[in-house]
Amino acid sequence: MTPRVKEILSWYGADNPGTLTNLARLLNHGRLAGTGKLVILPVDQGFEHGPARSFAPNPPAYNPHYHFELAIGAGCNAYAAPLGFLEAGARDFAGEIPLILKTNDNDVLREEKDPNQALTASVQDALRLGCCAVGFTIYPGSAHQLEMYGQLRAYAEEAKRNGLAVVIWSYPRGSGLSKEGESGIDVVGYAVQIAAQLGAHIIKVKLPTAHIEQDAARKVFDERHIPIATAAERVRHIVDCAFAGRRIVIFSGGAAVFDDDKLLDEIRSIEAGGGFGSIIGRNSFQRLKEEALRMLGAVMDIYARSPGRDGTH
Amino acid sequence: MTPRVKEILSWYGADNPGTLTNLARLLNHGRLAGTGKLVILPVDQGFEHGPARSFAPNPPAYNPHYHFELAIGAGCNAYAAPLGFLEAGARDFAGEIPLILKTNDNDVLREEKDPNQALTASVQDALRLGCCAVGFTIYPGSAHQLEMYGQLRAYAEEAKRNGLAVVIWSYPRGSGLSKEGESGIDVVGYAVQIAAQLGAHIIKVKLPTAHIEQDAARKVFDERHIPIATAAERVRHIVDCAFAGRRIVIFSGGAAVFDDDKLLDEIRSIEAGGGFGSIIGRNSFQRLKEEALRMLGAVMDIYARSPGRDGTH
Amino acid sequence: MTPRVKEILSWYGADNPGTLTNLARLLNHGRLAGTGKLVILPVDQGFEHGPARSFAPNPPAYNPHYHFELAIGAGCNAYAAPLGFLEAGARDFAGEIPLILKTNDNDVLREEKDPNQALTASVQDALRLGCCAVGFTIYPGSAHQLEMYGQLRAYAEEAKRNGLAVVIWSYPRGSGLSKEGESGIDVVGYAVQIAAQLGAHIIKVKLPTAHIEQDAARKVFDERHIPIATAAERVRHIVDCAFAGRRIVIFSGGAAVFDDDKLLDEIRSIEAGGGFGSIIGRNSFQRLKEEALRMLGAVMDIYARSPGRDGTH
Amino acid sequence: MTPRVKEILSWYGADNPGTLTNLARLLNHGRLAGTGKLVILPVDQGFEHGPARSFAPNPPAYNPHYHFELAIGAGCNAYAAPLGFLEAGARDFAGEIPLILKTNDNDVLREEKDPNQALTASVQDALRLGCCAVGFTIYPGSAHQLEMYGQLRAYAEEAKRNGLAVVIWSYPRGSGLSKEGESGIDVVGYAVQIAAQLGAHIIKVKLPTAHIEQDAARKVFDERHIPIATAAERVRHIVDCAFAGRRIVIFSGGAAVFDDDKLLDEIRSIEAGGGFGSIIGRNSFQRLKEEALRMLGAVMDIYARSPGRDGTH
Amino acid sequence: MTPRVKEILSWYGADNPGTLTNLARLLNHGRLAGTGKLVILPVDQGFEHGPARSFAPNPPAYNPHYHFELAIGAGCNAYAAPLGFLEAGARDFAGEIPLILKTNDNDVLREEKDPNQALTASVQDALRLGCCAVGFTIYPGSAHQLEMYGQLRAYAEEAKRNGLAVVIWSYPRGSGLSKEGESGIDVVGYAVQIAAQLGAHIIKVKLPTAHIEQDAARKVFDERHIPIATAAERVRHIVDCAFAGRRIVIFSGGAAVFDDDKLLDEIRSIEAGGGFGSIIGRNSFQRLKEEALRMLGAVMDIYARSPGRDGTH
């Protein structure tokens, strides 16, 4: 156990040893083991966007085993997916990689201006599949947000009681937000705070822009001169919003980009801002496996060089 | 146990021996026993369309015993029906044919642009009636889809814990889809993926058309040149969407046709595309029993000759 | 135990001996004991229509004991009523007549175009009051129909597990149906089928008219020349819709009529069509008791002479 | 135990000895003990109308102890109040007066044309506070009526199983009724019947007017010449609607009046019509305690002289 | 145990010794221990208003440990916060300060004219974190008020059974109230009464204005000459509405003010009116810690000099 992992675990004093053990499994697996940094492979796009859009760019990815192998081969800290994908490989790859069961999902067969998610798996499912954490998506800003917070509350309580960790995908969305607002720095910071207050161990958000959505927030950003000009500064603000860095916050890359330089620049910004890592889906599995392994290796190189951060002001 | 059935069972590594046993019962019963192919008789049309429309074309079919006898006589792998129809024969035909209890249903006394289903039977009902699986219908694309996914989740968890298999009828419908879209190749492929991610062991969809409903999907079908011109190609895509063939996907024939050549052509396409079989209701029980047995025999002839498929890319 | 009752019980092979015993109690009580025919006294009109409209025509009927005495005196097979009316006499008349507890009810203080019912009693209430069955009303065609089917499902499962029988009042109603449609032959036949598929032991419907509501159904009635010109023919079709006569279906008379010849003509049609009996409320308790006993006696005379029906095609 | 109380208890043959004991406690406490008549002090106006409107006319009434003392001092049969008021004195006055816990309430911070109530206390609360009954308000005629009936059903079942009595406040209200209709004789009679059918031991309604709201009811009142000209006649009809007097029905006085002659005239009408007593809130606690005691004494004088009524036709 | 604390505990005769013990912990901690007065630090603004708006004015406040240290350093009676903030320090500061777990929360990512809150923590969470009370917000006047009262009811029952105290944040809001009405004296008094009737041990409201919102209330305030001209008089009325002072009612200060004289004037008014104390969030943690300690010290000076109040009329 490295001092950095020991330090991170010390922030979760309310959790039982079972949950700490599972957090430690996540932090101590793969190429970034012990660094306090995380790179996770998430594959829920088959559900969220449809199978052809997700897997036709790299047809072996239709097969659920592919993603286990990719995550293991790349040395990721964990692999996160919905129930069906995990059921299809949990026995075959048992013990080879920490698993995160996504417990709610939605599809794009309907578009709702105030989106919601269906409960698609349970905490008990996570336990029987040998997962170390449950994943749960919330949409702060949606008309369904309070219902989602309440569902998450129950899942988180049951997960913690059973020694699992809780990973929250916190995605601002809904009729109260503009399209730019969904990734605005104030809104993403707020989404991180909400997830942390709801009891998340790990929070996953999108890399924010410098857009500020809410007037009341803009007033504060201006008056207090909160630096948000560069991506690294925005990451640093997001980390502040995660209990001054006492909650693990990781960033998603969004749609597949074909300019790896741009992708790696983002990773450098996350690292520079004190972010804890990345969750990289479409940029991983929508390219040939060799290319994916090379790209993920480059990402991990950046995080592996990070000196860490003490997490307090 | 044939190698092919052993192979199929190996895809369900997350299931307990009870569920595997029931899957094996389905795969090892009737004329297609051991081939990995399935022909199932479903009779829920009394509920879904009304009794006169369903049974007046062949009045003996008003009697619930008729369908047990038809399924047994034809050598089907299983008989699927709502609670009442199974209760009316489960003791009389105990052990003679695997049963699938449909646990939700709707009627056409009202038409809703966003349809839903009522829970009409429970997992406990399936157990007390000696069934090997529960059946559950979802309507991806309906405004009620998230509620249905959540209900299914709970049923599937209870079924699997009790050693039952889960069969999902995945029928895209609702205000977000055009009429053609309900059977479009992208939408049906998406419906299969959703059912698989929700934990289905067996997925039942309609034979898709070459229509593409969603712009984002069309872009991928075009760019990646996914072949969908023939029915067999479309079946092959659907099988890909079912975890690259690692989930059993079967096809329904739709309304009664009186041109058996057309029907058998469809079966040949399903077989050629690597589909796992058919679920044939109205084309079975709405004709004289002798004709039905002859037709089902011809269908099974096609599947029985199929060399199987390894199910992976 | 008469051969006819034994035969009827044989249709319910999915039920435990407790439920069969209670079905036998219903079939073997009163003047029609052993005939396989049933005449039941239902008194839920105090709730459904109001006390003055229900009981002022015959003021002794305000008293709950009156109805127990009427049902016993007339030799009915059972007495059916809401919680309050049964609680008010269950001890006083314990063991003197089989009781059916109506477990949901509505009033006419509001008119809704899509009616619903409140749960007003439980299966446990039925057990503590010594009832042999629970009664449950559904409104096929109402926007609330799926909710009602789901509630019924839970009640029926609990009732059967506890050895009670399930009686469904299946009344088509709601914004999707015309006024004539509510008693149209296609719609009533559909309502019977739905109740049977939901697991009813006994189904209660209104005597249907020759009206056909749904175009898709009319097509079948025409093509197949289903005879529906006379009331007896319509009853026969309804019995077919009840699993080819393998579920007990009884008929209500509707509003009080003062022409007993007309009423008895209806009974003759039910008998001629193979119906299993009648449920007669307002025509019983809204007249002087002596007149009611005479009328019910005449009704039972008709059913008592019935040779029975084998119930299969 | 007086013969009259014994007779009243005999009407509740479905209840366990625990509930009968609590009913007996209500009937055998205070100045009207043993007469079969009841005068109850209800104080839910702090919740239902607000504290200033309720208690400023007599400021000592802000203190919850005041009402215990008033009910005890006046010799009431019971004191009824929401959770907070009972919690604030249940230990201090333990055993000095039977308590009825109101388990649902609403406020007037919003006006709804279809009112509802919140569940504000549980049956378990009633047990831990030593109450002899739970009180529950329903609004027959409101769009929320079916939900309220269903909640009441569950509360009543739990209360009876635990040996408590059930008191229903049955107040017709909602968009389907005119303002006059809420206290019309047909509607109040219907409200009493509904409460009785839902299993009430004691029903509380407003003193009805001669207004008739529903056409179908008016037809019966006219044809059957039901006498409703005087308040006493209307009370008699209401008692008929309460299972021909086999359920205890008591009357509320409404807003505070400052003409005690008018108030006592109402009491005389209730007594003359065979009503079982009164529930008097604002007319009690919104005046000086001495005046309240004198007024309540005068009310009890009237009931104490009542010869009783046999309760059957 | 001081006589004053003994007296206060005597008002809660319905509570078990566990709850009394926790109330005593609140009253006997910090600088105001034993006085019967309370100053509580609440920090839910990260959730309710967003992290930048809440913590950027004093960046150390991003760190959850900061607030524990502030509350301990200032000698507050308790620290109240949502789940995440308490989980982040409960072990580190175990036993150093009584904790109140806020169990429901909302954010401002959407504005609703009828606000609601999500359940964000459970009573079990409060127990495992070592809290002495649960906090719950209600919005009297919102279209969601009945739902909130019902949720609170269940939480309060479970909390009391487990020996915890219940603190209600009672904030009038919603489409039925004008903006001024939310803090009008009649509405705030009503909100206090509702919270007390719902079983609160401690009630937190805003300092009311002299505005009167409801006509029916204005009539009473005028007729009865209820004094509400000064803040102290209004506090006294609020204390009356809290069961004549037999429930603890404390006041919030609202938005940060930079005029401490104004703030301390408010405190003097609360003290003069018989209020039990203050809950001071933004005015505490949005300034430098030293300034916060000085300000909180000045506030406590005022309450510490208060002679107490006997709480009855």
Side-chain angles (χ1 to χ4, degrees):
Chain A
M1 190 72 57
T2 66
R4 177 61 178 163
V5 170
K6 267 193 172 319
E7 180 192 15
I8 291 174
L9 295 182
S10 77
W11 303 334
Y12 297 92
D15 285 299
N16 63 26
T19 296
L20 289 192
T21 300
N22 273 316
L23 269 175
R25 284 173 64 203
L26 284 168
L27 290 163
N28 286 333
H29 186 88
R31 197 175 141 214
L32 294 173
T35 63
K37 300 293 179 181
L38 296 147
V39 170
I40 294 172
L41 175 69
V43 191
D44 58 0
Q45 292 80 0
F47 203 127
E48 301 274 339
H49 304 150
R53 284 175 60 192
S54 301
F55 307 129
N58 178 34
Y62 280 112
N63 190 324
H65 283 198
Y66 178 83
H67 305 284
F68 284 88
E69 291 161 356
L70 175 60
I72 294 165
C76 288
N77 294 71
Y79 167 50
L83 181 69
F85 255 25
L86 291 196
E87 286 189 329
R91 179 178 301 267
D92 309 275
F93 301 92
E96 299 189 45
I97 180 135
L99 298 176
I100 301 168
L101 177 61
K102 278 215 61 189
T103 55
N104 63 351
D105 291 285
N106 195 359
D107 60 55
V108 292
L109 285 169
R110 329 178 32 88
E111 292 290 348
E112 306 275 9
K113 65 185 205 303
D114 282 297
N116 199 349
Q117 293 237 330
L119 298 177
T120 55
S122 70
V123 173
Q124 292 302 312
D125 287 323
L127 290 166
R128 74 176 167 89
L129 294 173
C131 300
C132 58
V134 291
F136 200 100
T137 299
I138 57 175
Y139 293 138
S142 168
H144 301 290
Q145 67 176 14
L146 300 183
E147 176 191 355
M148 299 184 94
Y149 299 168
Q151 291 172 333
L152 167 57
R153 187 212 67 68
Y155 267 59
E157 185 181 11
E158 185 182 354
K160 292 174 185 175
R161 194 171 55 236
N162 285 283
L164 297 180
V166 175
V167 184
I168 299 183
W169 274 242
S170 193
Y171 286 164
R173 276 197 207 161
S175 58
L177 298 173
S178 71
K179 194 66 201 169
E180 301 78 47
E182 294 180 0
S183 54
I185 181 67
D186 59 331
V187 170
V188 175
Y190 203 158
V192 165
Q193 171 78 201
I194 288 169
Q197 295 286 13
L198 287 168
H201 298 103
I202 299 175
I203 301 157
K204 187 264 194 185
V205 289
K206 291 195 178 143
L207 204 54
T209 67
H211 173 85
I212 295 181
E213 176 77 357
Q214 300 200 296
D215 291 338
R218 184 178 305 108
K219 195 161 162 286
V220 173
F221 276 83
D222 288 351
E223 282 177 10
R224 302 294 164 174
H225 308 294
I226 304 176
I228 56 169
T230 69
E233 287 170 338
R234 294 193 293 272
V235 166
R236 191 162 299 278
H237 178 69
I238 294 303
V239 171
D240 277 346
C241 293
F243 292 1
R246 299 177 74 87
R247 288 294 174 263
I248 296 169
V249 57
I250 59 178
F251 296 84
S252 59
V257 296
F258 297 96
D259 180 348
D260 278 5
D261 289 344
K262 187 168 168 300
L263 178 66
L264 294 176
D265 273 352
E266 282 186 6
I267 303 298
R268 282 182 206 103
S269 296
I270 295 166
E271 190 278 328
F276 289 75
S278 288
I279 187 157
I280 303 179
R282 282 172 284 176
N283 275 303
S284 300
F285 65 77
Q286 291 189 345
R287 52 177 83 192
L288 292 177
K289 199 194 242 183
E290 298 233 333
E291 290 175 33
L293 292 173
R294 191 158 43 227
M295 184 276 294
L296 288 166
V299 167
M300 292 182 197
D301 282 345
I302 295 169
Y303 285 124
R305 286 195 297 266
S306 179
R309 183 180 187 264
D310 72 12
T312 54
H313 282 264
Chain B
M1 192 70 58
T2 66
R4 178 59 179 165
V5 170
K6 265 192 172 326
E7 180 192 14
I8 291 174
L9 296 182
S10 77
W11 302 334
Y12 298 92
D15 285 297
N16 63 25
T19 296
L20 289 191
T21 301
N22 273 315
L23 269 175
R25 283 173 63 202
L26 284 168
L27 291 163
N28 285 334
H29 186 87
R31 199 178 139 212
L32 294 173
T35 64
K37 299 293 179 181
L38 297 146
V39 171
I40 294 172
L41 176 68
V43 191
D44 58 359
Q45 292 80 1
F47 204 127
E48 300 275 337
H49 304 149
R53 283 175 61 191
S54 301
F55 307 130
N58 178 35
Y62 280 112
N63 190 324
H65 283 199
Y66 178 82
H67 305 284
F68 283 88
E69 291 161 356
L70 176 60
I72 294 165
C76 288
N77 293 71
Y79 168 50
L83 181 69
F85 254 24
L86 290 197
E87 286 190 329
R91 180 178 300 269
D92 309 276
F93 301 93
E96 299 189 45
I97 180 135
L99 298 177
I100 300 168
L101 177 61
K102 277 215 63 190
T103 56
N104 64 349
D105 291 285
N106 195 359
D107 60 55
V108 292
L109 285 169
R110 323 178 38 86
E111 292 290 349
E112 306 275 8
K113 67 184 204 301
D114 282 297
N116 199 349
Q117 293 237 330
L119 297 177
T120 55
S122 71
V123 173
Q124 293 302 312
D125 287 323
L127 290 167
R128 74 176 167 88
L129 294 173
C131 299
C132 57
V134 291
F136 200 100
T137 298
I138 55 175
Y139 294 136
S142 168
H144 301 290
Q145 67 176 15
L146 300 183
E147 176 191 355
M148 299 184 93
Y149 299 168
Q151 292 173 331
L152 167 58
R153 188 213 66 69
Y155 267 59
E157 186 181 10
E158 186 182 354
K160 291 174 185 175
R161 195 170 54 235
N162 285 283
L164 297 180
V166 175
V167 184
I168 299 184
W169 273 242
S170 192
Y171 287 165
R173 277 197 207 162
S175 58
L177 298 173
S178 71
K179 194 66 200 168
E180 301 79 46
E182 294 179 0
S183 54
I185 181 67
D186 60 331
V187 171
V188 175
Y190 203 159
V192 164
Q193 171 77 201
I194 288 169
Q197 294 287 14
L198 288 167
H201 298 102
I202 300 175
I203 301 157
K204 187 264 194 185
V205 289
K206 291 195 179 146
L207 204 54
T209 68
H211 172 85
I212 295 180
E213 177 77 357
Q214 299 199 298
D215 291 338
R218 184 179 303 109
K219 194 160 162 288
V220 173
F221 275 83
D222 288 351
E223 282 177 11
R224 302 293 164 175
H225 308 295
I226 304 175
I228 56 168
T230 69
E233 286 170 338
R234 294 192 293 272
V235 166
R236 191 161 300 276
H237 177 70
I238 293 302
V239 171
D240 277 345
C241 292
F243 292 3
R246 298 177 75 86
R247 288 295 174 264
I248 297 169
V249 57
I250 58 177
F251 296 85
S252 59
V257 295
F258 296 99
D259 180 347
D260 278 5
D261 289 344
K262 188 168 168 299
L263 178 67
L264 295 176
D265 274 352
E266 283 186 6
I267 302 300
R268 282 180 206 105
S269 297
I270 295 166
E271 190 278 328
F276 289 75
S278 288
I279 187 157
I280 302 178
R282 282 173 283 175
N283 276 303
S284 299
F285 67 76
Q286 290 189 346
R287 53 177 81 192
L288 292 178
K289 200 195 243 184
E290 297 233 333
E291 290 175 35
L293 293 173
R294 191 158 43 226
M295 184 275 294
L296 287 167
V299 167
M300 292 182 197
D301 282 346
I302 294 168
Y303 285 124
R305 284 193 298 266
S306 180
R309 183 178 187 263
D310 73 10
T312 54
H313 282 266
Chain C
M1 191 70 59
T2 65
R4 177 60 179 164
V5 171
K6 266 192 173 323
E7 180 191 15
I8 291 174
L9 295 182
S10 77
W11 303 335
Y12 298 92
D15 285 298
N16 63 24
T19 296
L20 289 192
T21 301
N22 272 315
L23 269 176
R25 284 174 63 203
L26 284 168
L27 290 163
N28 285 334
H29 186 88
R31 199 178 139 212
L32 294 172
T35 64
K37 300 292 178 181
L38 296 147
V39 171
I40 294 172
L41 176 68
V43 191
D44 58 0
Q45 292 81 0
F47 204 127
E48 301 275 339
H49 304 149
R53 282 174 62 191
S54 301
F55 307 130
N58 178 35
Y62 280 112
N63 190 323
H65 283 198
Y66 178 82
H67 305 285
F68 284 88
E69 292 161 355
L70 176 59
I72 294 164
C76 288
N77 294 71
Y79 168 50
L83 182 69
F85 254 25
L86 291 197
E87 286 189 329
R91 180 178 300 269
D92 309 274
F93 301 93
E96 299 190 46
I97 181 137
L99 298 177
I100 301 168
L101 177 61
K102 276 215 66 191
T103 56
N104 64 349
D105 291 286
N106 195 0
D107 60 54
V108 293
L109 284 169
R110 324 179 35 86
E111 293 289 349
E112 306 276 8
K113 66 183 205 301
D114 281 296
N116 200 350
Q117 294 237 329
L119 297 178
T120 55
S122 70
V123 172
Q124 293 302 313
D125 286 323
L127 290 167
R128 74 176 167 89
L129 294 173
C131 300
C132 57
V134 290
F136 200 100
T137 298
I138 55 174
Y139 293 138
S142 168
H144 301 290
Q145 67 176 15
L146 299 184
E147 176 191 355
M148 300 184 93
Y149 299 167
Q151 292 172 332
L152 167 57
R153 187 212 67 68
Y155 267 59
E157 186 181 9
E158 186 182 353
K160 292 174 185 177
R161 195 171 52 236
N162 286 283
L164 297 179
V166 175
V167 184
I168 300 183
W169 273 242
S170 193
Y171 287 164
R173 275 195 208 164
S175 58
L177 298 173
S178 70
K179 195 67 200 168
E180 301 80 45
E182 294 180 359
S183 54
I185 180 67
D186 60 330
V187 170
V188 175
Y190 203 160
V192 164
Q193 171 78 200
I194 288 169
Q197 294 286 14
L198 288 167
H201 298 102
I202 299 175
I203 301 157
K204 186 264 193 186
V205 289
K206 291 196 179 145
L207 203 55
T209 67
H211 173 85
I212 295 180
E213 176 78 356
Q214 299 199 297
D215 291 338
R218 184 178 305 107
K219 194 160 162 287
V220 173
F221 276 83
D222 288 351
E223 282 177 10
R224 302 292 163 175
H225 308 294
I226 304 175
I228 56 169
T230 69
E233 286 170 337
R234 294 192 293 271
V235 167
R236 190 160 300 275
H237 177 69
I238 294 302
V239 171
D240 277 345
C241 292
F243 292 2
R246 298 177 75 88
R247 288 294 175 264
I248 297 169
V249 57
I250 59 178
F251 296 84
S252 58
V257 296
F258 296 99
D259 180 347
D260 278 5
D261 289 345
K262 188 168 169 298
L263 179 67
L264 295 176
D265 272 352
E266 282 187 6
I267 303 299
R268 281 180 207 106
S269 296
I270 296 167
E271 190 279 328
F276 290 75
S278 288
I279 188 157
I280 302 179
R282 283 172 284 175
N283 275 302
S284 300
F285 66 75
Q286 291 189 345
R287 53 177 80 193
L288 292 177
K289 200 195 241 185
E290 297 233 334
E291 289 175 33
L293 293 173
R294 191 157 44 227
M295 183 276 293
L296 288 167
V299 167
M300 293 182 197
D301 282 346
I302 294 169
Y303 285 124
R305 284 193 298 265
S306 179
R309 184 177 187 264
D310 72 10
T312 53
H313 283 266
Chain D
M1 191 70 59
T2 65
R4 178 60 179 162
V5 170
K6 265 192 174 323
E7 180 192 14
I8 291 174
L9 295 182
S10 77
W11 302 334
Y12 298 92
D15 285 299
N16 63 26
T19 296
L20 289 192
T21 300
N22 273 316
L23 269 176
R25 284 174 63 204
L26 284 169
L27 290 163
N28 286 334
H29 186 88
R31 196 176 143 214
L32 294 173
T35 64
K37 299 292 179 182
L38 296 147
V39 170
I40 294 172
L41 176 70
V43 191
D44 58 359
Q45 291 81 0
F47 204 128
E48 302 274 339
H49 304 149
R53 283 174 61 191
S54 301
F55 307 130
N58 178 35
Y62 281 112
N63 190 323
H65 283 199
Y66 178 83
H67 305 285
F68 284 88
E69 292 162 355
L70 175 60
I72 294 165
C76 288
N77 294 71
Y79 167 50
L83 182 70
F85 255 24
L86 291 197
E87 286 190 328
R91 179 178 301 269
D92 309 275
F93 301 93
E96 299 189 46
I97 179 134
L99 298 176
I100 301 168
L101 177 60
K102 276 216 63 191
T103 55
N104 64 350
D105 291 286
N106 195 359
D107 60 54
V108 293
L109 285 170
R110 328 177 34 86
E111 292 289 348
E112 306 275 8
K113 65 185 207 300
D114 282 296
N116 199 350
Q117 294 237 331
L119 298 177
T120 55
S122 71
V123 172
Q124 293 302 312
D125 287 323
L127 291 167
R128 74 176 167 88
L129 294 173
C131 299
C132 58
V134 291
F136 199 101
T137 298
I138 56 175
Y139 294 138
S142 168
H144 301 289
Q145 68 175 15
L146 299 184
E147 177 191 354
M148 300 183 92
Y149 299 168
Q151 292 172 332
L152 166 58
R153 187 212 68 68
Y155 267 58
E157 185 181 10
E158 186 182 352
K160 292 173 185 176
R161 194 171 54 236
N162 285 283
L164 296 179
V166 175
V167 184
I168 300 182
W169 273 243
S170 193
Y171 285 165
R173 276 196 207 162
S175 57
L177 298 173
S178 70
K179 195 67 202 168
E180 302 80 45
E182 293 179 1
S183 54
I185 181 67
D186 59 331
V187 170
V188 175
Y190 203 159
V192 165
Q193 171 78 201
I194 288 168
Q197 294 286 13
L198 288 167
H201 298 103
I202 299 174
I203 301 156
K204 186 264 195 187
V205 289
K206 291 194 179 146
L207 203 54
T209 67
H211 173 85
I212 295 180
E213 177 77 356
Q214 299 199 297
D215 290 338
R218 184 179 305 108
K219 194 159 162 288
V220 172
F221 276 83
D222 288 351
E223 281 177 12
R224 302 292 163 176
H225 308 294
I226 304 175
I228 56 169
T230 69
E233 286 170 338
R234 293 192 293 273
V235 166
R236 191 162 299 275
H237 178 68
I238 294 302
V239 171
D240 276 347
C241 293
F243 292 2
R246 298 178 75 87
R247 289 294 174 264
I248 296 169
V249 56
I250 60 179
F251 296 84
S252 59
V257 296
F258 297 98
D259 180 348
D260 278 5
D261 289 345
K262 188 168 167 300
L263 178 67
L264 295 176
D265 272 353
E266 283 186 5
I267 303 299
R268 282 180 207 104
S269 296
I270 295 166
E271 189 278 328
F276 290 74
S278 287
I279 187 157
I280 302 179
R282 283 173 283 176
N283 275 303
S284 300
F285 66 75
Q286 291 190 344
R287 53 176 80 192
L288 292 177
K289 199 195 241 184
E290 297 233 333
E291 289 175 35
L293 292 173
R294 189 157 45 227
M295 184 276 293
L296 287 167
V299 167
M300 292 182 198
D301 283 345
I302 294 169
Y303 285 124
R305 285 194 297 266
S306 179
R309 184 179 186 263
D310 72 12
T312 54
H313 281 266
Chain E
M1 191 72 58
T2 66
R4 177 61 178 163
V5 171
K6 266 192 172 324
E7 180 193 15
I8 291 174
L9 295 183
S10 77
W11 302 334
Y12 298 91
D15 285 298
N16 63 27
T19 295
L20 288 192
T21 300
N22 273 316
L23 269 176
R25 283 174 63 203
L26 284 168
L27 290 163
N28 286 333
H29 186 88
R31 199 179 139 211
L32 294 173
T35 64
K37 300 292 179 182
L38 296 147
V39 171
I40 294 172
L41 175 68
V43 191
D44 58 359
Q45 292 80 0
F47 204 128
E48 302 275 338
H49 304 149
R53 284 175 60 191
S54 301
F55 307 131
N58 178 35
Y62 280 112
N63 189 324
H65 283 198
Y66 178 83
H67 305 285
F68 284 88
E69 292 161 356
L70 176 59
I72 294 165
C76 288
N77 295 71
Y79 168 50
L83 181 69
F85 255 24
L86 291 197
E87 284 189 330
R91 180 178 301 268
D92 308 275
F93 300 94
E96 298 190 46
I97 180 135
L99 299 176
I100 300 168
L101 177 61
K102 276 215 63 191
T103 55
N104 62 351
D105 291 286
N106 195 359
D107 60 55
V108 292
L109 285 170
R110 326 177 36 87
E111 293 289 348
E112 305 276 9
K113 65 184 206 302
D114 282 296
N116 199 351
Q117 293 237 331
L119 298 177
T120 55
S122 70
V123 172
Q124 293 303 313
D125 287 323
L127 291 166
R128 73 175 167 89
L129 294 173
C131 300
C132 59
V134 291
F136 200 100
T137 299
I138 56 175
Y139 294 138
S142 168
H144 301 289
Q145 67 176 14
L146 300 184
E147 177 191 354
M148 300 184 93
Y149 299 168
Q151 291 172 333
L152 166 58
R153 187 212 67 67
Y155 267 58
E157 185 181 11
E158 185 182 354
K160 292 173 185 176
R161 195 171 53 235
N162 285 284
L164 297 179
V166 175
V167 184
I168 299 183
W169 274 243
S170 193
Y171 286 165
R173 275 195 208 163
S175 57
L177 298 173
S178 71
K179 194 67 200 167
E180 302 80 46
E182 293 179 0
S183 54
I185 181 66
D186 59 330
V187 170
V188 175
Y190 203 158
V192 165
Q193 170 78 201
I194 288 169
Q197 294 286 14
L198 288 167
H201 298 103
I202 299 175
I203 301 157
K204 186 262 193 189
V205 289
K206 293 197 178 142
L207 204 54
T209 67
H211 172 86
I212 295 180
E213 176 78 356
Q214 299 200 296
D215 291 338
R218 184 178 304 109
K219 195 160 161 285
V220 173
F221 276 84
D222 288 351
E223 282 177 10
R224 302 293 163 176
H225 308 294
I226 304 176
I228 56 169
T230 69
E233 286 169 339
R234 293 193 293 272
V235 166
R236 190 161 300 276
H237 177 68
I238 294 302
V239 171
D240 277 346
C241 293
F243 292 1
R246 298 178 76 87
R247 289 293 174 264
I248 296 168
V249 57
I250 59 178
F251 296 84
S252 59
V257 296
F258 297 97
D259 180 347
D260 278 4
D261 290 343
K262 187 168 167 302
L263 179 67
L264 295 176
D265 273 352
E266 282 186 5
I267 303 299
R268 282 181 206 103
S269 296
I270 295 166
E271 190 278 328
F276 289 75
S278 288
I279 187 157
I280 302 179
R282 282 172 284 176
N283 276 302
S284 300
F285 66 76
Q286 291 190 344
R287 53 177 81 194
L288 291 178
K289 201 195 239 183
E290 297 233 332
E291 290 175 34
L293 292 172
R294 190 157 44 226
M295 184 275 294
L296 287 166
V299 167
M300 292 181 197
D301 283 346
I302 294 169
Y303 285 123
R305 286 194 297 266
S306 178
R309 182 178 188 265
D310 72 11
T312 53
H313 282 268

